[in-house]
């Protein structure tokens, strides 16, 4: 089925962000301090660099569980569900990163200071440590934190499409963007689709956190789990 991306972008804009936890608010304000309050492609790039990390950490924990607890059927099923989702989500996040890289190249935009290698190494190391800690001590809190991260990302993309009306007229010819979404023709829809992917990640995070009441349903959405 064809998803109405414009309708879903409006849904994202009209839906207020979640009431974020203190730790999420702190994290987002540090990002704003480094990358600026304005939502830009460079800031989205930093988000995407970080976005893959928690999925990888959950996967590591649950692969180990599969190794040692293969005889516990219920645990095996639960771990396999998390791994399956985590693998597809991290590949999807990495694709977002590649698409932004291509768009910035097409527009002649240089990476700002916060995307320099030393800064990226520091920021990713801290995020790996945080994700690892949550994955091993309280994975449900990790899912909840990720849901907040993804909700924030969804709102950033929805707002960026509104802030860049020229994207509606810019046709997609880039092979990476076409690999990501061959059915889409302009850059506004590419970023609307990315924003909707973030909503899917948010929804799945709430599903695994055991908080299905926060899931935002829409026509054509994939099933949780
Ligand atoms: Fe993403
Ligand atoms: Fe995401």
């Amino acid at each position: 089925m064809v998803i109405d991306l414009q309708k879903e972008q409006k849904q994202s804009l009209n839906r207020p962000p979640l009431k974020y936890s203190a730790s999420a608010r702190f994290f987002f304000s540090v990002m704003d301090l480094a990358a600026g309050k304005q939502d830009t492609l460079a800031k989205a790039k930093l988000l995407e660099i970080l976005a893959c990390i928690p999925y990888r950490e959950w996967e590591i924990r649950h692969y180990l569980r599969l190794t040692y607890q293969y005889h516990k059927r219920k645990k095996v099923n639960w771990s396999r569900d998390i791994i399956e989702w985590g693998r597809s989500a991290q590949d999807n996040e990495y694709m977002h990163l590649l698409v932004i890289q291509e768009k910035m190249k097409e527009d002649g935009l240089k990476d700002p200071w916060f995307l320099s290698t030393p800064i990226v190494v520091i920021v990713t190391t801290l995020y790996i440590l945080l994700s690892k800690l949550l994955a091993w001590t309280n994975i449900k809190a990790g899912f909840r934190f990720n849901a907040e991260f993804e909700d924030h990302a969804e709102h950033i993309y929805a707002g960026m499409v509104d802030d860049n009306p020229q994207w509606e007229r810019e046709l997609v010819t880039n092979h990476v963007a076409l690999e990501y979404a061959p059915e889409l023709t302009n850059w506004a829809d590419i970023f609307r689709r990315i924003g909707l992917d973030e909503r899917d990640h948010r929804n799945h995070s709430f599903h695994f956190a055991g908080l299905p009441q926060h899931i935002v349903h829409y026509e054509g959405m994939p099933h949780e789990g």
Side-chain angles (χ1 to χ4, degrees):
M1 83 160 285
V2 180
I3 295 171
D4 186 341
L5 291 173
Q6 292 201 14
K7 181 177 143 198
E8 296 312 329
Q9 181 215 349
K10 284 204 178 74
Q11 209 281 349
S12 303
L13 286 172
N14 293 334
R15 194 180 77 245
L18 289 167
K19 281 197 184 350
Y20 297 130
S21 59
S23 47
R25 284 202 310 274
F26 173 74
F27 180 78
F28 301 148
S29 47
V30 171
M31 279 204 75
D32 284 354
L33 210 64
K37 270 207 177 297
Q38 212 201 335
D39 297 326
T40 59
L41 286 173
K43 189 173 171 183
K45 204 194 232 188
L46 181 60
L47 272 181
E48 297 298 350
I49 290 170
L50 296 174
C52 305
I53 290 171
Y55 299 102
R56 292 181 190 142
E57 294 304 326
W58 302 334
E59 195 184 57
I60 291 168
R61 179 185 163 183
H62 282 278
Y63 270 128
L64 266 178
R65 182 189 262 185
L66 287 185
T67 304
Y68 298 117
Q69 302 194 14
Y70 56 88
H71 47 283
K72 295 180 181 164
R73 194 66 240 171
K74 254 180 109 171
K75 285 191 171 184
V76 166
N77 288 345
W78 178 245
S79 292
R80 290 181 73 186
D81 283 349
I82 290 172
I83 289 169
E84 195 186 325
W85 165 52
R87 287 173 67 161
S88 72
Q90 68 181 279
D91 289 348
N92 181 252
E93 299 289 19
Y94 194 68
M95 203 65 207
H96 295 169
L97 176 59
L98 295 184
V99 167
I100 294 175
Q101 167 68 17
E102 293 298 314
K103 178 67 174 135
M104 286 180 69
K105 206 162 75 184
E106 202 172 288
D107 291 356
L109 298 172
K110 294 253 174 298
D111 281 346
W113 67 273
F114 59 83
L115 291 174
S116 64
T117 305
I119 300 292
V120 168
V121 169
I122 293 169
V123 174
T124 51
T125 304
L126 291 173
Y127 204 54
I128 288 169
L129 291 174
L130 172 72
S131 303
K132 217 179 257 306
L133 182 76
L134 287 174
W136 287 91
T137 59
N138 189 347
I139 199 162
K140 290 215 169 171
F143 294 147
R144 279 201 305 278
F145 186 84
N146 197 58
E148 295 179 307
F149 180 101
E150 300 287 2
D151 182 86
H152 183 64
E154 179 192 348
H155 283 90
I156 285 183
Y157 282 110
M160 265 203 314
V161 172
D162 257 18
D163 293 345
N164 291 277
Q166 75 281 6
W167 286 350
E168 307 284 353
R169 300 181 300 278
E170 289 177 8
L171 296 182
V172 180
T173 53
N174 181 278
H175 72 281
V176 176
L178 288 171
E179 183 192 335
Y180 165 65
E183 73 284 8
L184 301 180
T185 53
N186 66 64
W187 279 100
D189 278 347
I190 291 280
F191 287 109
R192 285 187 181 106
R193 180 62 258 185
I194 293 180
L196 196 56
D197 288 348
E198 309 304 3
R199 191 193 299 171
D200 289 335
H201 301 155
R202 167 200 188 283
N203 282 343
H204 280 86
S205 300
F206 277 129
H207 165 76
F208 284 102
L211 297 165
Q213 66 274 26
H214 293 303
I215 290 174
V216 177
H217 295 271
Y218 63 93
E219 230 177 304
M221 73 180 268
H223 290 293
E224 302 92 53

